[in-house]
Amino acid sequence: MKLSGKIAIVTGAGSGIGRATAQRCAAEGAQVLCCDVANADATASGIGDAAAAYAMDVREPAAWEGAVAEAKQRFGDVDLLANIAGVVAKGDDTALGQDLEDWERIISINLKGPWLGMRAVLPTMLQRGSGVIVNIASEAAIIGIPGLLAYTASKGGIAALTRQVAIEYVRQGVTVNAIAPGFIRTAIQDGIEQSLLDDMAAGIPIGRFGAPEDIAASIAHLFSADGQYITGQVIAVDGGWGVA
Ligand SMILES: NC(=O)c1ccc[n+]([C@@H]2O[C@H](COP(=O)([O-])OP(=O)(O)OC[C@H]3O[C@@H](n4cnc5c(N)ncnc54)[C@H](O)[C@@H]3O)[C@@H](O)[C@H]2O)c1
């Protein structure tokens, strides 16, 4: 029970990596506010008393104020924030094909949302002199991936934002890191043909897609006392994909 007594906000908790992270945090003893635009209830009720659901859009500053207030009222001051909610493009995400509306949607969910989340939890963390924030970047923060223009821009922004906030508050008891997942099998790949998924899995050195639980385990490590000397990092959790 690495997170006994801790209070966590997890976004994207309705599905995939966010759901697995909410479950893992609760299994490690934390109380968790499960935040998402969809299915947060299902995750929270599956966990039980250690969790509560909060329907929110991470793009909305007022929703973040509401989430922090809800967590405080139900459990207490927030110790841990996992900024996990994220989206990929609806259509062509190339430099010439991407349209303005989808660019703005991706950047505002994947990049503005995590900033708003950090802005909402930091005052209390700084006041208490402790707190841990984990953002979700991607291998796309590190390398170019054809057809992921706005997505790579948003995740590269997450890497920069993570370093920036980490260094701003490094002397005040708050650590901020990002996990860069490789290919993790979740709903985010819905619509991709099975043959293409098989090809993708074959190209991962470890020989399989990651599971959401692989990422949740790394987040739990950063959240725990074992991760206290790590800050400002973008840590690849990718089965060796990024170094092959
Ligand atoms: N799966 C992968 O291979 C992979 C790889 C690298 C990075 N990531 C990142 O991991 C994170 C989680 O992805 P996943 O694979 O679990 O996908 P997913 O689609 O299973 O989960 C994403 C969740 O975010 C929620 N969400 C979307 N827009 C939101 C909004 N405006 N406000 C609140 N919640 C919102 C969705 O409802 C969903 O529950 C994303 O940031 C994604 O970019 C995933």
Side-chain angles (χ1 to χ4, degrees):
M1 301 282 268
K2 291 193 231 183
L3 304 178
S4 277
K6 300 291 183 188
I7 292 157
I9 288 181
V10 177
T11 75
S15 174
I17 294 169
R19 181 168 55 202
T21 299
Q23 291 166 340
R24 179 65 188 260
C25 288
E28 295 288 355
Q31 290 174 295
V32 187
L33 191 70
C34 301
C35 301
D36 204 300
V37 278
N39 303 322
D41 289 356
T43 301
S45 59
I47 292 171
D49 289 347
Y54 188 74
M56 70 176 282
D57 187 325
V58 296
R59 290 171 284 189
E60 300 298 331
W64 274 109
E65 283 169 31
V68 170
E70 181 80 5
K72 186 175 174 73
Q73 189 237 320
R74 283 183 178 268
F75 305 127
D77 286 328
V78 175
D79 302 289
L80 313 168
L81 169 65
N83 269 319
I84 300 178
V87 291
V88 292
K90 289 180 175 163
D92 186 346
D93 196 14
T94 60
L96 296 179
Q98 177 56 277
D99 66 57
L100 258 183
E101 197 181 320
D102 207 32
W103 164 275
E104 277 163 9
R105 183 185 68 95
I106 293 166
I107 298 292
S108 70
I109 295 173
N110 293 5
L111 183 56
K112 184 177 88 173
W115 166 56
L116 292 176
M118 290 192 277
R119 196 180 70 159
V121 300
L122 272 166
T124 307
M125 289 181 173
L126 296 174
Q127 201 175 26
R128 299 168 78 216
S130 70
V132 185
I133 297 171
V134 178
N135 298 316
I136 294 294
S138 165
E139 281 292 351
I142 301 160
I143 57 169
I145 303 179
L148 289 179
L149 176 89
Y151 186 79
T152 55
S154 71
K155 296 302 187 178
I158 283 291
L161 196 66
T162 297
R163 286 188 288 270
Q164 182 65 27
V165 180
I167 219 66
E168 279 176 4
Y169 301 110
V170 67
R171 292 290 181 101
Q172 287 165 266
V174 176
T175 62
V176 188
N177 291 287
I179 297 287
F183 288 118
I184 311 300
R185 190 68 185 95
T186 69
I188 215 163
Q189 292 105 10
D190 283 357
I192 300 180
E193 280 175 33
Q194 189 57 47
S195 59
L196 187 54
L197 288 173
D198 293 343
D199 286 349
M200 287 160 78
I204 301 169
I206 213 166
R208 65 167 175 88
F209 271 95
E213 291 73 17
D214 293 317
I215 306 303
S218 298
I219 295 172
H221 176 74
L222 291 170
F223 274 171
S224 76
D226 292 337
Q228 66 187 333
Y229 199 62
I230 307 170
T231 198
Q233 303 303 307
V234 179
I235 301 166
V237 180
D238 66 356
W241 182 61
V243 293

